[in-house]
Amino acid sequence: WWIGLVFAVGSLLFILGSVQTLWPRLAATAVFDPAHVFFAGSLPFTLAAYLQFFQAGNASDFPLAVAVGTPPKAVRKKWLGCRASELGWWSCLLQLQGTLCFNFSTYQALHPGPSWFSEDIWVWLPNFVGSVLFLLSGYMAFAETCHGYWRFLPRNLSWWAVFWNFGGCVSFMMSACLAVLVSGTEPVLRLQLSTWFTLLGAVGFFIGSILLLPEAATEGEKHLLPEEPPVKMG
């Protein structure tokens, strides 16, 4: 529940930063610089990503026992738990690494470089790497929920959460591809389109985050579709 809430806060800040960039005459732009808003939004993303990674690294081996009221054997919580045989753990790990790249990118954007080349190295490149990591993470989460490469599960709340999350990852990737600088003067339309994809990605993350709240409320209850074990690697 907390993971969904914190992700939603970060998503809202990215939505605000995108809107300010697209419509710079808004009153909010005069108060909050969009670059600072994006950096502020990257921090809740990292916190939520770590909480998700922590949860995945300490996931119970006996979820059905919890559902029937029999707690599993007590284990010591690990700050950096490893469950490398599970696809969901890898998804969380890549997402956490992606958020760290966004932290670096948005922080560097607060101090623009002296040339377009330095902007590409210190701002665009970590943004691009973070977007790739998010895309891989989003698909892994989607595949784990589907228990396959692709399934349409409209009655499964978890499916909708990862579906919107993956859609946000795709939009972020499109934004990063369009944001690269190749000269000192860039087409305004392309950079605006990049910001539009950032906005769409943030909306996708926000919807996916909000869907985690009712999903958490039904934890331990019987789902509409039968439960399956986590997808194993290899």
Side-chain angles (χ1 to χ4, degrees):
W1 187 91
W2 281 105
I3 291 170
L5 181 63
V6 178
F7 263 131
V9 171
S11 301
L12 283 174
L13 289 172
F14 264 70
I15 290 173
L16 175 60
S18 301
V19 170
Q20 289 178 279
T21 304
L22 292 169
W23 294 281
R25 295 186 179 181
L26 293 176
T29 306
V31 180
F32 303 106
D33 180 17
H36 287 83
V37 175
F38 280 124
F39 175 66
S42 73
L43 300 179
F45 271 153
T46 303
L47 174 58
Y50 172 73
L51 292 175
Q52 193 166 251
F53 178 72
F54 176 81
Q55 184 182 56
N58 292 278
S60 171
D61 290 321
F62 309 98
L64 295 180
V66 177
V68 298
T70 304
K73 182 179 179 180
V75 294
R76 184 177 180 179
K77 299 298 182 183
K78 300 177 287 290
W79 294 106
L80 297 173
C82 179
R83 301 175 71 88
S85 63
E86 295 182 6
L87 192 63
W89 181 85
W90 284 102
S91 172
C92 295
L93 176 62
L94 294 182
Q95 186 173 56
L96 177 58
Q97 293 173 334
T99 62
L100 294 176
C101 289
F102 286 135
N103 291 157
F104 184 85
S105 175
T106 53
Y107 177 77
Q108 291 297 325
L110 300 177
H111 311 88
S115 67
W116 63 268
F117 184 74
S118 63
E119 286 285 296
D120 277 345
I121 295 298
W122 298 105
V123 179
W124 176 80
L125 184 58
N127 176 38
F128 180 81
V129 173
S131 297
V132 171
L133 292 172
F134 260 46
L135 189 63
L136 293 173
S137 169
Y139 179 71
M140 286 180 178
F142 183 79
E144 184 192 39
T145 301
C146 291
H147 300 287
Y149 295 110
W150 166 264
R151 288 174 68 189
F152 181 59
L153 307 174
R155 300 182 65 208
N156 189 316
L157 187 60
S158 297
W159 185 89
W160 283 107
V162 295
F163 173 80
W164 281 103
N165 178 76
F166 182 55
C169 294
V170 172
S171 294
F172 269 31
M173 189 74 256
M174 294 296 295
S175 173
C177 290
L178 292 167
V180 62
L181 303 179
V182 294
S183 68
T185 57
E186 296 298 322
V188 175
L189 180 60
R190 176 164 62 81
L191 297 180
Q192 286 182 336
L193 186 59
S194 172
T195 305
W196 271 105
F197 275 112
T198 299
L199 176 59
L200 292 175
V203 170
F205 280 126
F206 178 75
I207 296 175
S209 301
I210 292 300
L211 290 176
L212 291 179
L213 306 184
E215 181 190 37
T218 59
E219 183 178 356
E221 296 180 2
K222 184 177 180 180
H223 295 275
L224 292 174
L225 294 177
E227 289 289 338
E228 299 180 44
V231 175
K232 300 292 183 179
M233 298 292 291

